[in-house]
Amino acid sequence: MKVHVVGGGLAGSEITYRLAKKGVHVILHEMRPKIQTPVHRTGYFAELVCSNSLKSEDITNGAGLLKAEMRSVGSLILEVAEEVRIPAGKALAVDRNEFARRITDRIKSMENVEIHVEEVKKIELGEDEIWIVATGPMTSQSLLNNLSKKIGRFLNFIDAVSPILYSDSIDLSKVFIADRYGVGKGDHLNCPLNEKEYDRLWKALIEAEVVEFKEFEKHKLFERCMPIEEIARSGKDAMRYGPLRPVGIVDPRTGKEPYAVVQLRRDNLEGTLYNIVGFQTRMKWREQKRIIRLIPGLENAEIARYGVMHVNVYLNSPKVLDRFLRLKKDDRIFFAGQITGVEGYLESAASGIYVATNI
Ligand SMILES: Cc1cc2nc3c(=O)[nH]c(=O)nc-3n(C[C@H](O)[C@H](O)[C@H](O)COP(=O)(O)OP(=O)(O)OC[C@H]3O[C@@H](n4cnc5c(N)ncnc54)[C@H](O)[C@@H]3O)c2cc1C
């Protein structure tokens, strides 16, 4: 039996690794770096497109529990995450580049894995073959069109990415190191805002020029990844009770919680990059630069990667898939990862483990 895996993302990497380890011949089709998706930047497998966090390690919440379960069955993603872990309080954050590079190397070095760098435009089932589609929220249009003919319309929602800054452009005399409620080892940089600075930022955000992409207006924004300017528009204090909430973050210079805080989280092992926590946006690039520079400590910030926003597609899974995530119409075709309707790096990887276990 041959298994074709389409997409070397979080799910596709777990699947390929697990099946190849079991001795199955796997053909992994990944279109990058030949063709990039709108959010991926590298040719590596398992690229993290936005935050570098795989969420909480706390076993009393869903993400922590899921990690414990995945570790118990030998998750590649979590094994590598541990190797390239960077401090982030209770969360499991990684050096994104090193993470994806090591996963790619691990998969490429496996004996039973054949890698085809190509866009799969349609599924062509051969004798004694299984196909697993793990093409994620940015599935290429040709494949989407082809699959739609077979299984009907895809559903969708909107998601956004936060900007990443070069750390040497951050004014360290204005920011302070602290973790919320003191949990962590000083893993975050914090830009404190007083009321006047907060008001100025809020006004700039509600007036900011955004990318008007007509398609977006028809879609629903994903609540947990709401663009910062949309949060600002929902009310003056919304950011202070959302991503800019100061609760539990004490400025050691004043001994007090500031009026509001913009948190920066380390994005790589060397500490040369920081992402702005909860600052996903669809502002135009020049606006991002202008508005980020209104934040104390970021007056000269240089942006390594701008925030962007995209439509995510997924299947109406209960309608078209069975409980093993196989097509009801054709049990030789499986789906895994975010295309099945799960959301997040960790959750997509877990769904890859689930599918691989059932083959
Ligand atoms: C803008 C944005 C921000 C996000 N932010 C976060 C976040 O902060 N935290 C979080 O946990 N999750 C976040 N997510 C969700 C997360 O990225 C996904 O849940 C996860 O990557 C899905 O894993 P996957 O393996 O299903 O798909 P992906 O990781 O996207 O992998 C799919 C792979 O398939 C390839 N591919 C697509 N079409 C084809 C084709 N036709 N032929 C060959 N290859 C193809 C792609 O190149 C890609 O490598 C975000 C998603 C988006 C779009």
Side-chain angles (χ1 to χ4, degrees), residues 51-87:
S51 150
N52 62 333
S53 166
L54 298 175
K55 301 183 185 150
S56 173
E57 285 280 26
D58 185 348
I59 195 113
T60 63
N61 71 42
L65 191 57
L66 184 57
K67 275 200 265 307
E69 289 177 355
M70 289 168 72
R71 284 190 177 114
S72 74
V73 293
S75 158
L76 170 69
I77 297 295
L78 291 181
E79 203 180 302
V80 175
E82 207 51 59
E83 292 169 15
V84 297
R85 183 179 192 134
I86 54 182

Side-chain angles (χ1 to χ4, degrees), residues 260-274:
V261 174
V262 172
Q263 279 207 300
L264 309 176
R265 181 170 49 224
R266 182 127 62 107
D267 205 76
N268 60 356
L269 276 170
E270 301 82 38
T272 54
L273 297 171
Y274 274 80

Side-chain angles (χ1 to χ4, degrees), residues 39-158:
V39 293
H40 289 83
R41 295 283 174 270
T42 73
Y44 292 143
F45 302 143
E47 179 178 335
L48 305 180
V49 296
C50 182
S51 150
N52 62 333
S53 166
L54 298 175
K55 301 183 185 150
S56 173
E57 285 280 26
D58 185 348
I59 195 113
T60 63
N61 71 42
L65 191 57
L66 184 57
K67 275 200 265 307
E69 289 177 355
M70 289 168 72
R71 284 190 177 114
S72 74
V73 293
S75 158
L76 170 69
I77 297 295
L78 291 181
E79 203 180 302
V80 175
E82 207 51 59
E83 292 169 15
V84 297
R85 183 179 192 134
I86 54 182
K90 274 190 179 178
L92 171 57
V94 298
D95 178 320
R96 80 175 68 232
N97 207 49
E98 200 49 25
F99 171 78
R101 192 184 67 75
R102 288 193 193 198
I103 288 172
T104 307
D105 287 350
R106 290 279 290 272
I107 290 174
K108 281 190 172 165
S109 68
M110 296 185 89
E111 261 182 27
N112 306 331
V113 179
E114 220 179 286
I115 293 164
H116 294 187
V117 181
E118 65 187 6
E119 178 192 6
V120 171
K121 296 188 175 168
K122 61 178 178 184
I123 308 295
E124 290 180 284
L125 278 158
E127 190 76 7
D128 199 23
E129 281 186 355
I130 283 179
W131 281 70
I132 306 173
V133 182
T135 43
M138 302 283 131
T139 297
S140 75
Q141 198 56 50
S142 330
L143 183 59
L144 272 185
N145 294 345
N146 190 269
L147 288 170
S148 300
K149 283 187 207 149
K150 212 179 177 90
I151 50 182
R153 222 183 110 245
F154 278 75
L155 307 173
N156 57 59
F157 68 91
I158 303 288

Side-chain angles (χ1 to χ4, degrees), residues 119-255:
E119 178 192 6
V120 171
K121 296 188 175 168
K122 61 178 178 184
I123 308 295
E124 290 180 284
L125 278 158
E127 190 76 7
D128 199 23
E129 281 186 355
I130 283 179
W131 281 70
I132 306 173
V133 182
T135 43
M138 302 283 131
T139 297
S140 75
Q141 198 56 50
S142 330
L143 183 59
L144 272 185
N145 294 345
N146 190 269
L147 288 170
S148 300
K149 283 187 207 149
K150 212 179 177 90
I151 50 182
R153 222 183 110 245
F154 278 75
L155 307 173
N156 57 59
F157 68 91
I158 303 288
D159 205 351
V161 169
S162 298
I164 296 180
L165 311 175
Y166 290 108
S167 59
D168 58 6
S169 67
I170 300 168
D171 183 348
L172 296 176
S173 69
K174 295 197 178 160
V175 304
F176 63 93
I177 298 171
D179 304 307
R180 205 178 293 279
Y181 301 119
V183 179
K185 296 185 181 137
D187 307 333
H188 294 90
L189 293 180
N190 300 277
C191 309
L193 292 99
N194 61 31
E195 191 169 354
K196 212 169 139 197
E197 289 159 343
Y198 178 86
D199 282 0
R200 189 172 60 145
L201 178 64
W202 174 71
K203 278 192 191 115
L205 281 168
I206 59 172
E207 287 163 7
E209 263 189 277
V210 294
V211 177
E212 290 301 344
F213 181 29
K214 286 286 172 247
E215 275 302 294
F216 283 163
E217 317 310 328
K218 299 184 209 147
H219 301 283
K220 212 172 155 30
L221 290 165
F222 180 43
E223 197 63 37
R224 288 190 55 198
C225 212
M226 190 69 81
I228 191 72
E229 61 278 6
E230 295 297 332
I231 298 176
R233 281 190 196 120
S234 68
K236 191 166 173 182
D237 283 330
M239 295 192 298
R240 280 204 324 125
Y241 289 92
L244 272 59
R245 67 193 180 285
V247 56
I249 302 176
V250 176
D251 186 339
R253 296 165 300 191
T254 61

Side-chain angles (χ1 to χ4, degrees), residues 123 125-126 129-132 326-327 330-334:
I123 308 295
L125 278 158
E129 281 186 355
I130 283 179
W131 281 70
I132 306 173
R326 287 180 306 201
L327 269 190
D330 189 334
D331 65 9
R332 295 165 300 168
I333 303 177
F334 288 70

Side-chain angles (χ1 to χ4, degrees), residues 272-287:
T272 54
L273 297 171
Y274 274 80
N275 60 64
I276 315 183
V277 179
F279 225 80
Q280 51 279 354
T281 180
R282 67 162 164 161
M283 286 185 282
K284 289 192 172 162
W285 286 13
R286 63 168 183 276
E287 286 288 78

